[in-house]
Amino acid sequence: MIQAPQAYTPVQQQPLYRQQPQVNAVNIQIFDPKSFAQPDPTYAMPTNSVYTVPQQSVYNPAQPDSQTPPAPPVPVPPPVVNTQNVNPPAPSVIPQQPQPTPAPVQPQAAPQTQTPEQPVTPPPAPQPTAAAPSFNTKGLAQDVKSDNLETAGAAIEKIADIAQHNPNEAKQLLDQELMESLLGVIAKDTTQLQDATPQQLQWREELLQGKTLTPEQTAEAQKISPKEMADRNKQYALFTVAILQDLLVKEFQAQNNVTPDIKDLPGMEQIVSTIKDNSSPMLRASGLAALAYNARPEYTPVMKEIFGLSEQDEDPNVRNVASDGFEKLANIHVQEAEKAQAANDKTNAIANYTTAADLTRDAKRKEDIKKLIDNLQKA
C-alpha cells in the first residue's frame, strides 16, 4: 500500500496512515541527485526510496581390470593370392620371416573392452540479446490516467523506479503520452474532493502526542481521504517528472554535446506554476524540491530567481526548501570550479613539459652545431 501525505498542519507530524511501501516515488534529495532529501515532516513527504560438460570425460574410457590376462595373439591368416592378371607388387626390401606357430592355449573369454564414446560437442552458448522491456509504456500511461487513485499512484511509483534503477529500460519512458499523463495528474483540480474531517485531524494529533485512542478511533484517524490521496499523487508526479527531465537532459547532452534550455524541458512550466500558485504548502515545497533535482550551472539564473521568490513564502518550511535549493546551486558551482581548476592544472603541466622538452632539444642542437663548426675549423 502507498502512504498518503498528511494534511498540512503547523505542528511536526509523522506519517501514520499506512505501512509505507518498499518503493516510493518521492525520495528525491536536493543534495544528492540520486534521491530527494527528506522534507520537513510537516509536509509528510513519503520517505521511502523508490525511487531507495559432462560430468565424466568422454576421452577416458574405463580401463580393463589389471588382474585379467591379455588376450592371446590372433594368428595371421595367409595372404590371399590375387589370380587376376595384374602387375605383381614390388618385392619387399625386408625378407619376410616365417610366422611361428602359436602354442595352443585354453579358450578364455576375452574381456569386454569399452568402446570410447565420441566426444560430445556442447551446443554454442546463446548470444545475448536485448531483453524486452518489463513494462508497457502505453499501459503505464493509461494507469496514470486512471480514476482509481491507488492504481494511478502505483503506476507513477513504477515509472520513477524504472527511471532511476533500470538504465537499459529507462529511455523508453521518454514518451510523450506518458509525460502528458503525469502532467495531467499535476494539473488536476482536487479542491472538490473530500478532505480529512476535523475529527480525523484531532485524533491524528492526539496519536502524535502519544494519547491512547480506541481501536475504532485509531482506524478512523488512519483513513486516507480522496483529496489527501490525490495530492499525494501530485507529489509523486512532480518528482517523477523531475527524474524524467534529468534523464532527457543527459540523453540530449550525449547526442548533441550541449545542454537544452531549461524552458524547453517538458513539465517545467507545471513545476514552476505549482511553486508559485498552488495553495498547498506541501505541494509548493515539493515543486521546489523537484526543481532543485535538476540544478545545473546552465540553469542557475532561472533557478535563483524562483528560489529567491520562494524565500519570501508565508510558510517557513517552503522558505527552508528554497534556501536548500540555493545551497545546492552553490555546491554545484564549487564542484564545477574544482573540475575546471584540475583540468587547467593538467593543461599547464602538459605545456610546461612540452616547453622543457623543446628547450632540451634546442640546447642539444646548439651543441651539435658548435661541434660541427669546431671540426671544420680544425680541418
Side-chain angles (χ1 to χ4, degrees):
M1 300 300 292
I2 306 173
Q3 177 185 3
Q6 299 178 359
Y8 171 70
T9 58
V11 298
Q12 297 295 326
Q13 298 184 3
Q14 299 295 331
L16 51 85
Y17 310 133
R18 298 186 183 180
Q19 180 67 29
Q20 292 191 358
Q22 295 299 319
V23 174
N24 192 304
V26 298
N27 190 8
I28 305 175
Q29 295 189 9
I30 290 181
F31 302 101
D32 183 356
K34 295 182 179 178
S35 62
F36 279 103
Q38 302 296 335
D40 191 281
T42 301
Y43 297 100
M45 295 185 184
T47 59
N48 284 354
S49 174
V50 241
Y51 312 167
T52 91
V53 249
Q55 295 297 322
Q56 181 177 0
S57 172
V58 296
Y59 296 100
N60 295 320
Q63 299 297 329
D65 191 350
S66 60
Q67 300 298 327
T68 305
V74 180
V76 180
V80 179
V81 179
N82 191 349
T83 57
Q84 295 182 1
N85 185 18
V86 295
N87 294 329
S92 174
V93 295
I94 302 177
Q96 188 169 0
Q97 300 295 331
Q99 296 293 334
T101 302
V105 296
Q106 295 297 327
Q108 186 176 0
Q112 295 181 354
T113 304
Q114 181 178 352
T115 303
E117 300 178 5
Q118 295 296 325
V120 179
T121 303
Q127 296 297 325
T129 56
S134 59
F135 61 93
N136 179 278
T137 304
K138 292 187 178 296
L140 281 176
Q142 292 303 317
D143 287 345
V144 172
K145 298 176 185 177
S146 174
D147 293 332
N148 186 311
L149 297 175
E150 289 281 359
T151 300
I156 297 172
E157 288 189 30
K158 183 174 182 178
I159 294 169
D161 182 50
I162 295 171
Q164 285 195 312
H165 304 133
N166 297 311
N168 294 331
E169 298 181 358
K171 297 178 183 179
Q172 301 184 47
L173 295 173
L174 299 178
D175 178 82
Q176 181 177 355
E177 181 180 359
L178 189 65
M179 178 63 74
E180 289 178 351
S181 67
L182 292 169
L183 299 182
V185 171
I186 297 174
K188 187 174 182 179
D189 183 10
T190 63
T191 58
Q192 303 303 316
L193 296 179
Q194 178 185 349
D195 205 348
T197 66
Q199 183 64 72
Q200 283 180 302
L201 296 178
Q202 178 183 344
W203 285 335
R204 292 173 185 176
E205 180 65 24
E206 292 177 0
L207 285 174
L208 290 174
Q209 294 174 0
K211 295 183 179 180
T212 302
L213 301 179
T214 66
E216 293 77 11
Q217 291 173 335
T218 301
E220 185 65 23
Q222 292 177 346
K223 285 184 179 179
I224 305 173
S225 70
K227 186 178 187 305
E228 289 174 320
M229 190 175 295
D231 286 346
R232 175 209 62 183
N233 287 354
K234 284 178 178 285
Q235 268 189 302
Y236 290 3
L238 284 165
F239 297 142
T240 304
V241 167
I243 294 172
L244 295 181
Q245 287 177 338
D246 180 64
L247 179 62
L248 177 62
V249 171
K250 292 176 179 176
E251 284 296 307
F252 193 88
Q253 290 173 331
Q255 296 180 14
N256 302 281
N257 198 30
V258 66
T259 303
D261 194 291
I262 188 173
K263 298 178 181 178
D264 295 332
L265 298 182
M268 186 56 67
E269 180 180 352
Q270 286 80 358
I271 292 177
V272 174
S273 177
T274 300
I275 295 171
K276 291 183 176 180
D277 304 326
N278 199 282
S279 60
S280 168
M282 177 190 71
L283 291 178
R284 294 201 300 273
S286 297
L288 285 169
L291 179 68
Y293 185 78
N294 281 295
R296 288 174 167 82
E298 298 87 348
Y299 299 161
T300 296
V302 174
M303 289 190 174
K304 285 180 64 176
E305 180 181 355
I306 298 174
F307 292 149
L309 292 174
S310 295
E311 280 192 320
Q312 309 303 318
D313 194 279
E314 62 184 10
D315 185 87
N317 292 286
V318 174
R319 297 197 296 269
N320 290 337
V321 177
S323 297
D324 291 342
F326 272 120
E327 184 176 348
K328 182 173 183 181
L329 282 177
N331 290 336
I332 287 178
H333 281 277
V334 170
Q335 293 171 5
E336 291 296 319
E338 290 175 350
K339 290 180 181 178
Q341 183 62 43
N344 186 57
D345 292 344
K346 183 178 180 179
T347 301
N348 290 338
I350 294 175
N352 293 336
Y353 174 80
T354 303
T355 301
D358 290 340
L359 292 175
T360 301
R361 287 194 297 268
D362 290 343
K364 187 176 185 305
R365 188 180 301 112
K366 291 179 180 179
E367 183 179 353
D368 292 340
I369 294 175
K370 185 177 182 300
K371 289 181 179 180
L372 179 59
I373 294 175
D374 292 340
N375 289 337
L376 289 176
Q377 290 177 344
K378 291 178 181 179

